[in-house]
Amino acid sequence: MPKRKLQFLALGLVIILGIVARVVDLGTHFTHTDDMMPLLHTLNAQDPSHPFVSWLRSVHAIASMTTYAPMQFFLTTVLISPEQDFETLLRWGRLPSLLAGIGGFVLLLILVRKLRSENTFPAQLIALTLLAFSWENIIYAKQTSSYAIGVTAAIAVLLLLIHLLRTPSWRLGTMLGTGLLLGVLSATQYQVIFFLPAFFTVLCLHQWGKGIRGGAVFKGPAFAGAVASLFVLLLYYFYIRTVPLKAAYISWNAGPAGEFAFSLDGHGGLFGTVLYAVKFFGGNFFTVFQAMTAVVPETHLLANFLGGSLLVLFLLGMISFADTRDRERRTIGIFFLLTALTWAALIMMRKLSFGPTRHALMLLPFFALGVAEGICY
């Protein structure tokens, strides 16, 4: 059998197994309050005599009364109805997350192919395997909440960035489309907004690297940023500004002893604070990385070995991004670095915790790409 066909079959097998893992108990997978809220708000807002208005009202109710971004619920609210039994409600209510997860497989394969002209298959296989079999990713592809779609949105941001890096000149229409797409992606999962500072900084650096100087460096990125910001401001006005009232930035996600919430108090001066920060970010990074990439239970004999091995490959991948002569991959490495700094700043400002919660699932594509890059280094 030709090598190319074997590679296609291997990737296809991983995709099939990843889909099966998500479909097999879609209607019976465990549920909880956060999983049920979109269904309850939809059923409460439905009015058969005014279907279009009740559809919009349902989406608005979910986004207003939960911390979820609204986009996927435009589909969810169409799929469920009061006539369905409990299991059917769960199955149809979770379908958008399932579809988003499967879409992430396809986008990731495209992304890796665009990033690597050599050793494409090994990179695709390892990245796809981590995305498909991550327990955290499987779990949230079988929940109604907007976390699985966030993983796909993160991959889409990277694809958009690569597309722009390969576009010779950024016309007005190109940057308008960029801003609109980033706005839509922000409406799928609010954490996409955290990628925007790094995204637009990288675009400006790319312009500078092409020899463009003066205001022209900022012209295209600023226009796209303004369009995306308009979307973000609308999201903020209607939904995001009430998030702290519905769920504090730091609460249960701080961990049993507050170990996942950054604190500057009580570390004995500058040296003690620096030492604390190194321990906090270093130790919690491994915890988050291991939890998001885990394909076995944390109590499994191989859990620490697999987590440690994947972390070594990820770090090699970061070195590879810095060491490569390929300008696109080096730029993606800069984007990774700036995103990490943005995340760290938000953690230090106590707007985010840094623990193995569902909110860290957005980082899985970065982990998967880093490990794939390390395999090929």
Side-chain angles (χ1 to χ4, degrees):
M1 186 178 290
K3 180 180 178 181
R4 189 176 181 84
K5 187 174 288 187
L6 283 173
Q7 292 175 349
F8 180 80
L9 289 174
L11 294 174
L13 179 61
V14 174
I15 289 176
I16 290 170
L17 291 175
I19 293 173
V20 169
R22 288 157 173 77
V23 171
V24 66
D25 59 348
L26 189 63
T28 56
H29 182 66
F30 76 86
T31 188
H32 54 93
T33 302
D34 291 350
D35 184 40
M36 290 300 302
M37 279 197 287
L39 306 180
L40 294 173
H41 291 316
T42 299
L43 296 178
N44 288 336
Q46 283 187 344
D47 180 359
S49 61
H50 300 89
F52 181 74
V53 173
S54 67
W55 174 55
L56 295 178
R57 188 184 296 130
S58 298
V59 175
H60 179 68
I62 295 168
S64 298
M65 299 180 189
T66 72
T67 59
Y68 304 147
M71 189 57 66
Q72 82 175 55
F73 301 110
F74 283 102
L75 177 58
T76 304
T77 51
V78 173
L79 296 174
I80 64 174
S81 68
E83 292 75 27
Q84 295 166 338
D85 60 40
F86 183 64
E87 186 174 325
T88 304
L89 271 173
L90 288 179
R91 185 181 298 112
W92 285 106
R94 291 165 170 176
L95 183 62
S97 293
L98 170 66
L99 295 176
I102 296 171
F105 298 165
V106 177
L107 292 184
L108 185 69
L109 292 177
I110 297 171
L111 175 61
V112 175
R113 176 167 287 280
K114 286 182 176 293
L115 275 176
R116 298 204 63 90
S117 57
E118 299 178 353
N119 297 319
T120 305
F121 172 69
Q124 283 182 318
L125 184 62
I126 187 66
L128 179 63
T129 299
L130 288 177
L131 200 73
F133 300 141
S134 158
W135 275 32
E136 192 80 3
N137 201 22
I138 291 172
I139 288 170
Y140 282 98
K142 296 190 281 191
Q143 300 279 287
T144 64
S145 52
S146 58
Y147 294 104
I149 197 172
V151 173
T152 304
I155 300 170
V157 169
L158 288 166
L159 273 172
L160 177 60
L161 180 58
I162 291 173
H163 171 73
L164 290 172
L165 296 178
R166 292 185 174 184
T167 302
S169 61
W170 297 338
R171 299 181 182 278
L172 183 66
T174 301
M175 302 318 288
L176 174 62
T178 296
L180 290 173
L181 181 55
L182 289 173
V184 170
L185 291 174
S186 298
T188 64
Q189 167 56 260
Y190 296 140
Q191 286 175 290
V192 169
I193 297 169
F194 302 155
F195 300 142
L196 299 188
F199 187 94
F200 290 114
T201 301
V202 163
L203 290 188
C204 292
L205 291 174
H206 177 70
Q207 292 284 77
W208 183 271
K210 288 168 60 178
I212 298 172
R213 296 293 183 268
V217 171
F218 308 102
K219 184 178 178 181
F223 178 67
V227 175
S229 296
L230 179 61
F231 268 80
V232 172
L233 286 172
L234 289 172
L235 288 171
Y236 177 81
Y237 178 78
F238 286 106
Y239 306 122
I240 298 176
R241 67 191 175 109
T242 63
V243 166
L245 304 178
K246 293 176 282 191
Y249 293 124
I250 303 295
S251 54
W252 59 267
N253 53 7
E259 64 270 30
F260 302 131
F262 189 84
S263 174
L264 289 174
D265 299 329
H267 302 300
L270 179 61
F271 179 78
T273 301
V274 171
L275 185 62
Y276 162 77
V278 170
K279 289 181 178 179
F280 175 88
F281 284 105
N284 287 346
F285 179 79
F286 177 70
T287 301
V288 170
F289 180 89
Q290 185 180 31
M292 295 305 112
T293 59
V295 296
V296 296
E298 62 180 346
T299 55
H300 194 280
L301 184 64
L302 294 176
N304 287 331
F305 172 76
L306 288 174
S309 299
L310 290 173
L311 180 60
V312 169
L313 290 172
F314 174 80
L315 295 175
L316 284 175
M318 296 304 99
I319 295 172
S320 177
F321 279 131
D323 189 44
T324 183
R325 294 183 179 179
D326 184 287
R327 189 179 175 196
E328 284 182 9
R329 282 165 51 214
R330 188 167 62 248
T331 302
I332 292 298
I334 294 171
F335 177 74
F336 274 38
L337 174 62
L338 294 176
T339 297
L341 292 175
T342 303
W343 226 267
L346 290 167
I347 290 166
M348 294 177 71
M349 293 165 61
R350 293 179 64 84
K351 301 300 183 183
L352 290 176
S353 65
F354 194 34
T357 71
R358 58 197 178 185
H359 305 97
L361 191 56
M362 287 285 289
L363 301 176
L364 179 59
F366 295 84
F367 296 157
L369 283 174
V371 171
E373 186 72 17
I375 284 281
C376 301
Y377 185 43

